[in-house]
Structure formats: C-alpha cells, structure tokens
Amino acid sequence: MALRRGSDTLSVMPTVSAQIALALAEHVEQVFGVMGNGNAYLLDAFERLPGVTVTTVRHEAGAVVAADAFHRASGGLAVATATYGAGFTNMLTPLAESVLGRVPMVVVVGDQPTVGPRPWDVDQVAIASAVGARTFTVGVDEAAAVTGDAIEWALTQRTPVVLAIPYDLAAREAGRSKPRAITKPSPVIPQPADIDELVELLALAQRPYLLSGRGAWLAGAGEALGEVADLTGAITGTTALGRGLFPRGEFDLGVTGGFGAEQAMAVVGQADVAVVFGAALNQFTTRFGDLFDPETVVVQVDVAETPTNPRVNRFLRGDAALVAVAVAEGLRTRGIPSTGWRESLEIAPLRRYEPGTGVAPDGRLDPRSVAERIAELLPDDRVVVTDGGHFLGWVNMFWPVAAPDRMMTIGTAYQSIGLGFSSVAGAASAKPESTIVLATGDGGGLMALADLETAVRVAGGSGIAVVWNDAAYSAEVTLYGRAKGLSLEPMLIPEVDFAALGEAVGAEGVVVRAVADLDRLATWSAEPAESRRFLVLDCRISGEIVAPYQQEIIRVNS
Ligand SMILES: Cc1ncc(C[n+]2csc(CCOP(=O)(O)OP(=O)(O)O)c2C)c(N)n1
C-alpha cells in the first residue's frame, strides 16, 4: 500500500477508515468536512494521503454545500464528511438540495455502533432515506468494496449517497477487500425515426428557437447545438443554469423565463418551433406557462422517460449531444437552407433591462444601479455563486457568466436560503484561477454565517461577497407583506454590518452606501490576488424596487 504520507499508519494498520479513504482517493481530490468522534480516523487517513485536499468548514451543512458547489464547478465527484448524529443531521437541508440537484456525492459519516444504538443515536438510514439518499454501511471485511459500491451508485445514478461508518469499526483493522471496477453509464441513444422527425420539423420552421439547460451542458452538447443554430438560423436562449452554453452569444436572448428581458421574451413568443435541450421546463423557465405562444410547437429533448411539462407537444428521448450531432448531420445531408431569422433581428438591444436610478425613493441604493456598476467591474473569468432570495433577480439579470459551470445557485431546487457562504469554498477549490463572486441577502447571509470564515480562508484574495443588505427578508416582504398585507415585523432584520463581520474573519469590508463606494472594487480588481484580501461589499440597498420575476410571482399568486 504505497499511498501514504507522514506516518506509516495506512500501511501498518489498514483500518476501516483508511480503506474508505483509499478507495475514495481513486476518484476524488477534494473533501469537505467538519470533524467529530465519528469521522476522526477518516479525516486523519485523508490527511495522510497525497493528492487529497481536506478543506475544513465550520458547519456540517457547509460541507455538503461546498462539496456540491465543487461538483457543479468541476464535474468531479463531491465528498463531504461529518460525525454521527448531530453532525449528520446538520447536513440534511443541503443534502435534500443535492438529491434534487442530481449531484453525485458521497457523504461519509459516523453512525451507531454495530452492537446497537447509544442514547444519542438516531436512525440515520431512515433519515437519509427520507430526503432521498441511500445509505451504504461499511463492515470490517468489505470496507473498500462497499465504498466502491457507494461511489458507483453516486456516479451512475447522479445522486448523493451516505457512506456510514459504525462507530466501533472506524479504527478496526480492515479486511483486504477491493472496490469493483466502476461501469460508466452509457448515454441514452436517440431513435433514428425521432431524429428524422425533428429534422423535418426544423426544415419546415420559419422562426426556430433553441432553448438549453444544464442537462445539455452535462451532455457536452454546446458545440453541436451551436451548429444546429448555425444551420437553421435559430435564435437561442438558456435557462439560468445553462448560461453561456451557445457559442454565438450575439444571437442569444440570454436567460429565459422570469429573469429574462421583456423584449427578448417577446421574441420567444414569436417562434413557430421551439426545441428544448436538457431543461426541465419548470414554472420559472416557462414564465408560469406564458413563455411560448399557444401556436408554437414545443419539442423537448431529454434523458427523462417522459416529458417534464404538459406544454411539450413532442418528446424525443436521448442524450442532448447525440441528438444535436444527429440533427445537424440530418440538416446538412438534406441541404436545408437557414431561415435567416436570427440575422433579421438585432438581438443585443432586446437583452437590455430597465436601468437603475442610483438612489431609490427611500434613500437607499437602487439594486439595479449596484448590479450594473458591479457588472462593469467584475472580471470575465468570474464564477458566480448565489444564495436564494429576492436579490436573485438582479444577479441573473445583470451578471451573465461565460459557461454553465460558472453560475450556481445551491438551494433553488429545494427552495432553501442560507447556503451561500459555504458555496464559495467549493467553487474556489474547483476553479482556483477564477474570481469567485458570491451574492447573498442579509437574511440568508446570517443563516450561513458560520462559513463566512471558510469563504474568506479558502477563496482569499480571489473571492468577493456581495451582500444585498436591505435589512429585511425582502422576498417575504414583497410576496406576503406588501402583496398580502401580513405583519411586517417578522420579516425585518436590524441592519447588520457585514463589512465588520467580514473584517472579523480576515476579509476587507466595504460598506456601500453610494454607487461611487463601489470604486474600491475597481482598485481591488487591479491588485494581484496574492496581495489583496477577500472583499465583502456590504451594499445597503432598497427593498422597495421589486424585481420583475417577483412581480410575476405576485401576479400568479393573486
Ligand atoms: C431555510 C429557509 N428558510 C426560510 C425560507 C423562506 N425564505 C425564502 S426567501 C426568504 C428571504 C431571504 O432574505 P434575504 O436573504 O435577506 O434576501 P432578500 O429576499 O432580502 O433579497 C426567506 C426567509 C427558505 N426559503 N429557506
């Protein structure tokens, strides 16, 4: 067993924990965790392995979030670890998110001893199952093999699994089991007749529109979809998680749905054929059913068994890249001329949003002006990680990114806030050369506060946190306070000094009360990353300017 560093622990005493670490090390370079009785030996084993970096976080929820962000930004298997009981249950909210987000992840935790539960043990297998995660429990003789099975399940099913280490086995000498070789799942091959039908439909289309989501990115379909757009003259667009997928940005309407620009969305309504690749067509993407004209033929291409939205007229099951390549080939073979639709419109002006006014009527900053100015100053290589809340509108409208692995909102699938600060460590570990830009509200920021320290430590001078500080749970004020007249009291937050909180853990904090205060971002950007500190921009914005997507939700709710 040559994989070791420092002491001889791994070679002299191949413990259950060491076997798990070794099996995982075949697939991962990054582990995120908080230590405790149940995973102390595991973390020790990881520390001794070359090629594996353990990033400690300050709250177990943060371990899952950081691992999730790491996967979304790098494509690599996510690994998070915590102790049994309280450590494990602290992980549940982001675990539910990662299940819904279909993130391949191994969550290694301690568990009750093999001889039975102690007073503080809970039924972890049942709890994990309740949020949709399967548990693999290691034994003495097959620790490595079970770890391999857990990894295989995570990778092939694209899902988090829990790998449980019974407390009394963690430091026991292990048998010499070996993980089985992992079979990669093969892509879903489309039916030739379905391809012919889609080619035929595109041949007849006059105003084709192509919409892509994260599924198309995961399939590696970007280039082939670009070809389909070139051949048909289709106008393109993406979901929030598919930003930057199409190679020709000049013909792209940008984000589709509630975050989309009004005039751009009106163009989608003019399409006669819309082909959707790797996007679930949720209520936000479809503007609660208003996105497509009733006459538009909507085709969904997906690996799901059935259409994911009743609006879909035709469904083509298949891997987005395979379908795109085959459709491009079909169009070329049949010599179908381009419609020229995309050249007939000037797209860039259609993507514009209503600009800010600098200061809002209540004297606080107009969030649109803050978003616009920050957008001017952000580097192109940015990775934007966001929490949830009203402010999501400004981020999605004003801060487009270069590729889908550069924008992530961990929490939206499970509709959770409070996962922002912990996302930074995962994204920074996956893309160390990039600037990581976190967007968080003051409500979600306070919820995630434990991992402000982690964000500052891990991203250092390559990280920025923009706090949309409106002294309120503004999404709730908008949807329930103003729209429904409910009591505002529980929706308000005393104005918190996030700049000072950042300084307390080693960041540079700037209170932004005027747009000109953002000039510090300009000078910060010009400094080398090694000589500057993590930057917290504590933006004192008004909650009175309501984002268009929130107005849409109010309209649908009433
Ligand atoms: C864990 C969790 N608790 C509560 C909520 C309900 N919720 C949704 S948005 C929101 C307000 C978020 O406030 P803030 O982070 O300040 O952002 P803002 O809406 O003000 O932009 C709340 C409380 C939730 N989604 N998740």
Side-chain angles (χ1 to χ4, degrees), residues 248-407:
R248 302 285 296 271
E250 68 273 34
F251 301 122
D252 196 85
L253 293 172
V255 63
T256 293
F259 299 139
E262 249 353 278
Q263 286 178 292
M265 295 305 95
V267 171
V268 179
Q270 293 166 19
D272 54 0
V273 174
V275 192
V276 182
F277 290 86
L281 286 178
N282 64 32
Q283 55 182 2
F284 301 113
T285 302
T286 57
R287 305 192 124 203
F288 297 90
D290 285 351
L291 179 68
F292 301 116
D293 184 84
E295 298 294 312
T296 306
V297 178
V298 178
V299 185
Q300 185 180 32
V301 176
D302 209 282
V303 290
E305 299 281 343
T306 50
T308 61
N309 187 303
R311 178 64 184 78
V312 172
N313 301 105
R314 299 192 196 174
F315 183 71
L316 195 168
R317 184 157 191 265
D319 174 85
L322 294 181
V323 172
V325 168
V327 167
E329 181 62 31
L331 290 165
R332 250 186 260 108
T333 312
R334 288 187 47 183
I336 309 293
S338 163
T339 59
W341 190 37
R342 66 182 189 179
E343 285 83 10
S344 71
L345 294 174
E346 212 192 323
I347 306 275
L350 304 173
R351 285 196 300 253
R352 287 199 195 115
Y353 296 96
E354 202 179 317
T357 54
V359 176
D362 63 0
R364 297 175 71 97
L365 284 171
D366 182 327
R368 294 167 300 192
S369 304
V370 173
E372 284 172 310
R373 179 65 181 136
I374 292 177
E376 286 167 11
L377 301 171
L378 287 180
D380 291 340
D381 79 336
R382 62 183 171 261
V383 176
V384 177
V385 297
T386 85
D387 200 357
H390 182 177
F391 67 87
L392 260 181
W394 316 128
V395 174
N396 279 280
M397 289 158 69
F398 293 101
W399 300 352
V401 291
D405 60 347
R406 293 181 168 274
M407 165 75 87

Side-chain angles (χ1 to χ4, degrees), residues 388-391 415-417 441-445 447 470 472-476 493:
H390 182 177
F391 67 87
Q415 306 250 307
S416 176
I417 65 162
D442 46 333
M447 210 179 271
D470 51 14
Y473 296 105
S474 186
E476 308 296 8
I493 303 171

